[in-house]
Amino acid sequence: MFSLCVEMRYTLGGRGFHEKKSALWTLFFSTLYLSAFTFGGGYVIVSLMKKKFVDEYHWIEEDEMLDLIAIAQSAPGATAVNGAIVVGYKLAGSSGALVAIIATILPPFLILTVLSFLYERFRSNLLLSQLLAGMQAGVGAVIASVVWDMGTDAVRQKNTVSIGSMLGAFLAACFFHVNVVYIILCCIVLGIVRTLLARRRNRR
């Protein structure tokens, strides 16, 4: 597994055509699998990317994945595609980003193409509506599980600013119904301020 991780990180470093090809195929099938069997939108697939690439494969560090998820969720566009871009680029550069995008888009494109022809037949089907309702419950559980894991890691680091930001964002969104865009912008500003202050301390 460690050797595969090394291949993924140094794919663009000219370590050989076969190593690069193997790394990209692994990234493609991993992302394709997540996209094909994930229901509930971009937030779910990004969460499962964390489980796949951090917890299972150990290709990305926990802190790095948190940064990548933050970028994916705050950038314009579909969260699933953004997540594929940042994760693929982190693992294998521009080639990895392109491969991850194709693997992420391909399953929903094919499924929606087929469903568009059958929509009139199944939209009033009681069994299918109940099936979708059950999927919604499962999606909520998956998101809650990953949020718990990431939140626990933030608490373990005992970083008061991160913990305060997390609690503040939760209260603002759930109790005061603040627009998520404003919450993200405030977190971006806070992150910039923290980075600038840290650099000044290091210079001293």
Side-chain angles (χ1 to χ4, degrees), residues 124-174:
S124 59
N125 188 299
L126 179 61
L127 180 60
L128 287 175
S129 64
Q130 295 299 318
L131 178 64
L132 293 176
M135 288 181 179
Q136 292 176 1
V139 167
V142 171
I143 295 176
S145 174
V146 176
V147 169
W148 175 265
D149 292 339
M150 293 183 175
T152 302
D153 292 333
V155 173
R156 288 174 183 169
Q157 296 176 2
K158 297 181 179 180
N159 190 315
T160 55
V161 177
S162 297
I163 296 173
S165 301
M166 181 173 58
L167 293 176
F170 174 76
L171 293 174
C174 294

Side-chain angles (χ1 to χ4, degrees), residues 7-140:
E7 287 181 10
M8 296 295 290
R9 288 182 180 275
Y10 293 94
T11 299
L12 299 182
R15 296 198 57 178
F17 173 78
H18 294 292
E19 289 183 351
K20 178 177 179 179
K21 185 177 180 180
S22 175
L24 292 178
W25 274 114
T26 302
L27 176 62
F28 176 81
F29 285 117
S30 298
T31 313
L32 183 72
Y33 169 80
L34 291 176
S35 180
F37 296 99
T38 298
F39 298 91
Y43 291 101
V44 178
I45 191 173
V46 169
S47 301
L48 294 180
M49 281 181 180
K50 183 262 179 187
K51 285 186 174 294
K52 191 76 170 179
F53 298 131
V54 176
D55 301 334
E56 183 178 344
Y57 288 166
H58 305 289
W59 288 348
I60 305 176
E61 297 294 332
E62 179 77 26
D63 293 340
E64 291 178 324
M65 191 65 194
L66 289 173
D67 293 337
L68 296 178
I69 291 175
I71 294 172
Q73 293 179 342
S74 59
T79 305
V81 178
N82 293 340
I85 292 173
V86 295
V87 171
Y89 187 82
K90 170 65 181 178
L91 294 175
S94 301
S95 300
L98 180 61
V99 167
I101 290 173
I102 295 174
T104 303
I105 295 176
L106 191 59
F109 174 78
L110 296 177
I111 293 172
L112 289 175
T113 300
V114 174
L115 291 180
S116 64
F117 293 102
L118 304 175
Y119 177 73
E120 294 295 333
R121 297 183 181 181
F122 75 80
R123 67 173 181 174
S124 59
N125 188 299
L126 179 61
L127 180 60
L128 287 175
S129 64
Q130 295 299 318
L131 178 64
L132 293 176
M135 288 181 179
Q136 292 176 1
V139 167

